[in-house]
Amino acid sequence: MTSRWRTVWVTGESDDQIVRLGIAHRDVVVSADHGGAIEARRAGDGSLIAPPTYTGVTGIVALATWREGAEVRAATGAGSLHQSHRWLRRWDLVAGREIPPAVDMNQPQVKHIDPATVHGEQVLVVINRGVLEIRRTDDGSVIDQVEKHRETSRVVIGSTDRGPIAVTSSHARHPQLFWLEDLTEAVRLPHADGEFMAAAEGDRFVCGSYAEPWNKWQTAWAGDLSGRRRGPAVTGEVITAVAVAAWPLVYIARQDRTVSLVDLESGAEVVPALRLPTAARTLAVTDGREVIVGFGLTVARFRPPSRKDEIR
């Protein structure tokens, strides 16, 4: 049994800190850096599909990626308390250009944009203040929308037998569940007040608590649509990113520069942790369940050590 993580590939240094990663379909990984450069790479070997797209958008906080035939596309959101950026913008990463029109969201920060498939169509799930919107990828127009809590700190996309779902979390209010193919009023997620959902696979969630300082949460656990816990709390150093490998296996990156592969229903760390030169800021998972890590100026793909119970 192999006890070491294998580096499948690693990029050269970007011009700025890597802030977001996304998987477009199964075979393309997309990265965005703080300066606004977006790169699309083949997930298998890390080679560039096209030269970087220089968006001019600094401080990207939302990245959604998808494929349209041979095209690789992305949607971005940005903005902060100090620098307003009120547009949802879309990019053709093969042609290296923006796809018009930019959509004015009339708010200083566009923070939540997630890809989903609804009624067989690739769409974007976007939070616009107190509204959850489903928008077309081709022109950004609204297909459907529903009111929600005005504040949103996190959004995750999952699925059930009834179809795709979105769950929104808010500091001040209970989590809300939305059935994306039947977008009527939100459903209150029971037994989950004071909690947030940080990642999802199907109807299982990686959860945390607002009792811990914002952006310094240390404890995660498994949850489901009943709002009840499905495993013990897993605690450690400050968590910087999470991504589901194959439920219940979850990658957890922490401020101590480690990335762990944890069975979130048993609480066990299933292989020794990967240690990086700097803390990971963002994670994504390949179709082969290997982890793509954005840390510092670098993007890399790692294969965890072998173990008796395969994660595939």
Side-chain angles (χ1 to χ4, degrees):
M1 182 172 67
T2 303
S3 60
R4 295 178 180 273
W5 290 72
R6 176 186 170 191
T7 303
V8 180
W9 51 261
V10 60
T11 66
E13 291 189 346
S14 173
D15 292 334
D16 211 329
Q17 298 286 317
I18 302 298
V19 293
R20 289 290 184 271
L21 291 173
I23 299 291
H25 193 49
R26 298 179 301 173
D27 54 353
V28 175
V29 59
V30 177
S31 63
D33 71 22
H34 180 77
I38 304 179
E39 296 180 339
R41 297 178 178 273
R42 295 172 182 87
D45 62 9
S47 60
L48 283 171
I49 290 175
T53 298
Y54 295 100
T55 67
V57 179
T58 59
I60 289 173
V61 295
L63 176 70
T65 61
W66 67 96
R67 291 284 298 270
E68 291 187 10
E71 304 299 321
V72 181
R73 299 192 170 179
T76 58
S80 68
L81 294 175
H82 309 291
Q83 183 177 3
S84 174
H85 188 89
R86 53 194 286 168
W87 295 279
L88 164 65
R89 300 173 69 175
R90 292 161 300 115
W91 309 90
D92 182 332
L93 301 183
V94 175
R97 62 175 180 83
E98 185 170 8
I99 303 169
V103 179
D104 188 348
M105 303 297 290
N106 195 31
Q107 55 183 320
Q109 183 184 58
V110 182
K111 185 178 179 182
H112 303 290
I113 309 171
D114 292 277
T117 302
V118 176
H119 296 300
E121 180 183 355
Q122 179 69 59
V123 300
L124 299 173
V125 178
V126 183
I127 301 301
N128 187 0
R129 298 185 184 270
V131 178
L132 181 145
E133 301 174 337
I134 298 177
R135 289 180 173 266
R136 293 181 175 88
T137 58
D138 58 355
D139 62 6
S141 62
V142 175
I143 299 172
D144 204 353
Q145 61 184 31
V146 65
E147 291 186 358
K148 56 170 295 300
H149 296 327
R150 186 168 181 82
E151 179 191 356
T152 301
S153 65
R154 295 178 185 264
V155 180
V156 297
I157 306 297
S159 62
T160 70
D161 292 341
R162 283 182 55 181
I165 59 173
V167 176
T168 64
S169 304
S170 166
H171 288 82
R173 306 290 295 274
H174 54 267
Q176 292 183 298
L177 166 68
F178 300 87
W179 305 96
L180 296 180
E181 293 188 343
D182 182 19
L183 203 59
T184 54
E185 64 180 332
V187 176
R188 178 174 182 158
L189 205 63
H191 311 295
D193 288 7
E195 299 179 1
F196 60 83
M197 287 69 206
E201 182 173 274
D203 59 359
R204 300 291 189 261
F205 305 107
V206 180
C207 304
S209 172
Y210 286 119
E212 296 185 315
W214 176 239
N215 279 344
K216 292 189 177 181
W217 63 298
Q218 297 176 266
T219 307
W221 61 88
D224 61 20
L225 285 178
S226 73
R228 300 187 185 279
R229 298 191 182 193
R230 298 184 58 87
V234 175
T235 193
E237 295 294 324
V238 170
I239 295 171
T240 57
V242 296
V244 178
W247 193 267
L249 300 182
V250 176
Y251 290 107
I252 301 178
R254 296 186 183 271
Q255 193 63 54
D256 63 2
R257 300 182 289 117
T258 60
V259 178
S260 300
L261 182 58
V262 178
D263 182 325
L264 213 56
E265 292 193 354
S266 71
E269 187 172 294
V270 299
V271 296
L274 169 69
R275 186 168 293 276
L276 300 166
T278 59
R281 185 163 181 173
T282 179
L283 302 176
V285 176
T286 70
D287 188 48
R289 309 306 184 189
E290 296 175 359
V291 65
I292 309 289
V293 185
F295 58 100
L297 307 178
T298 302
V299 178
R301 174 174 174 170
F302 296 100
R303 181 173 300 152
S306 305
R307 67 185 190 91
K308 293 181 181 179
D309 299 322
E310 291 295 330
I311 71 169
R312 296 180 186 274

